[in-house]
Amino acid sequence: MIDLNGKRALVTGGTRGIGNAIAARLLAQGAQVIITGRSESGAADAAKALSRSGGSCHGVALDVADFAQVGAVIKQLGKDVGAIDILVNNAGITSDDVVMRMGEDAWDAVLNTNLKGSFACARAVIRGMMKKRWGRIINITSIVGSMGNIGQANYVAAKAGMEGMTRTLAREYATRGITANAVAPGFIETDMTRAMEDAARERLLAQVPVERFGAPEEVADAVAYLASDSAAYMTGQVLHINGGMLM
Ligand SMILES: NC(=O)c1ccc[n+]([C@@H]2O[C@H](COP(=O)([O-])OP(=O)(O)OC[C@H]3O[C@@H](n4cnc5c(N)ncnc54)[C@H](OP(=O)(O)O)[C@@H]3O)[C@@H](O)[C@H]2O)c1
């Protein structure tokens, strides 16, 4: 049984999709959970809905692409609720196009949110984890970080970069009781994949041996394990959850 009582988790981008399912799962295991979204009302409403099943969930507005804001918000959280034990870098966006048409704005937006945002959050929580000599950093990457994907040079670079950063975090803080791992989902039913055209969905489904997209809860199960004491000897790894699409 995974027991996260007494642990405080920060899940970036917890307002919907995979992040929301992760927040629900960590709450169910007894953690105090803080979720973030870009708008104050979005984060507050999602936190209120999550709290209905019991447990302590707070929502805060945070744009993870804003490096200074990340530092300030996590510092304030430290004063208001205490240091973060479990960080789940989940906030992510896509802005797809083939390389020859992808503009600088699309590159910067995706790298700044997915990769720089994850770095900023990890940097801001590490000191508190070191003091406790316990911490969990879980980076949500993607199957495409290993496979590449047409139209996603920015997203693929960000996710592969997050996996490299995960291995460095694992090495730098292993002796302090802090683990860092990545969870790389395949195609999961969320707003992000619902935005895809039917033909693209069909093409992808044909490549998935279990013949369906995954559910956000199936990613959340893996995150709960990695956040637990049971996963203390697992660090620097990428856990793939993709219905067999990549093996
Ligand atoms: N769905 C998939 O098939 C799939 C597959 C592999 C990996 N992933 C990864 O899993 C993670 C979650 O994906 P999802 O499908 O659940 O996405 P989603 O449904 O589009 O939700 C994205 C979440 O990220 C938040 N967010 C976006 N930009 C942000 C920013 N700058 N600062 C703070 N929060 C921000 C959004 O919050 P607000 O809109 O409220 O601001 C929302 O909560 C992403 O990292 C994604 O790359 C998804």
Side-chain angles (χ1 to χ4, degrees):
M1 183 63 187
I2 293 169
D3 182 5
L4 299 179
N5 276 290
K7 303 296 187 202
R8 192 171 298 113
L10 175 65
V11 182
T12 67
T15 57
R16 54 201 156 84
I18 294 171
N20 195 264
I22 291 169
R25 181 65 201 269
L26 298 182
L27 275 169
Q29 304 307 141
Q32 178 189 359
V33 177
I34 299 122
I35 60 163
T36 76
R38 282 162 295 186
S39 82
E40 192 113 34
S41 58
D45 290 351
K48 205 167 146 193
L50 283 162
S51 301
R52 280 194 202 110
S53 325
S56 165
C57 187
H58 305 281
V60 295
L62 173 64
D63 178 354
V64 297
D66 183 334
F67 193 82
Q69 196 187 111
V70 170
V73 167
I74 291 180
K75 192 171 175 192
Q76 191 59 44
L77 274 176
K79 288 182 188 153
D80 294 346
V81 294
I84 301 299
D85 304 289
I86 301 161
L87 168 67
V88 184
N89 276 317
N90 164 83
I93 57 165
T94 54
S95 184
D96 299 352
D97 217 332
V98 291
V99 168
M100 68 181 207
R101 279 201 301 265
M102 184 177 285
E104 188 181 0
D105 286 354
W107 177 269
D108 286 346
V110 170
L111 269 290
N112 285 344
T113 299
N114 296 273
L115 182 57
K116 197 171 93 177
S118 299
F119 167 69
C121 291
R123 185 178 182 273
V125 300
I126 282 283
R127 206 177 294 274
M129 290 178 177
M130 282 174 68
K131 279 191 188 143
K132 294 187 185 190
R133 301 193 77 79
W134 196 97
R136 296 283 183 268
I137 298 173
I138 301 158
N139 294 323
I140 308 301
T141 61
S142 171
I143 187 172
V144 301
S146 300
M147 291 178 68
N149 200 20
I150 292 170
Q152 292 198 308
N154 50 1
Y155 184 75
V156 168
K159 295 303 192 185
M162 284 173 72
E163 291 178 4
M165 183 177 69
T166 302
R167 290 186 277 273
T168 287
L169 284 165
R171 286 188 188 276
E172 282 186 9
Y173 302 102
T175 58
R176 311 300 177 106
I178 301 167
T179 68
N181 291 287
V183 172
F187 287 83
I188 309 296
E189 289 286 1
T190 69
D191 291 349
M192 195 177 266
T193 44
R194 276 189 283 270
M196 282 165 30
E197 286 168 12
D198 285 351
R201 283 174 67 94
E202 288 307 315
R203 255 197 323 274
L204 281 170
L205 264 182
Q207 298 171 51
V208 183
V210 303
E211 295 184 333
R212 63 173 177 82
F213 281 6
E217 291 73 19
E218 291 175 306
V219 179
D221 285 346
V223 172
Y225 164 68
L226 290 172
S228 73
D229 279 325
S230 305
Y233 200 59
M234 184 162 173
T235 196
Q237 305 304 308
V238 180
L239 190 54
H240 285 271
I241 302 173
N242 55 43
M245 189 175 176
L246 176 76
M247 58 173 109

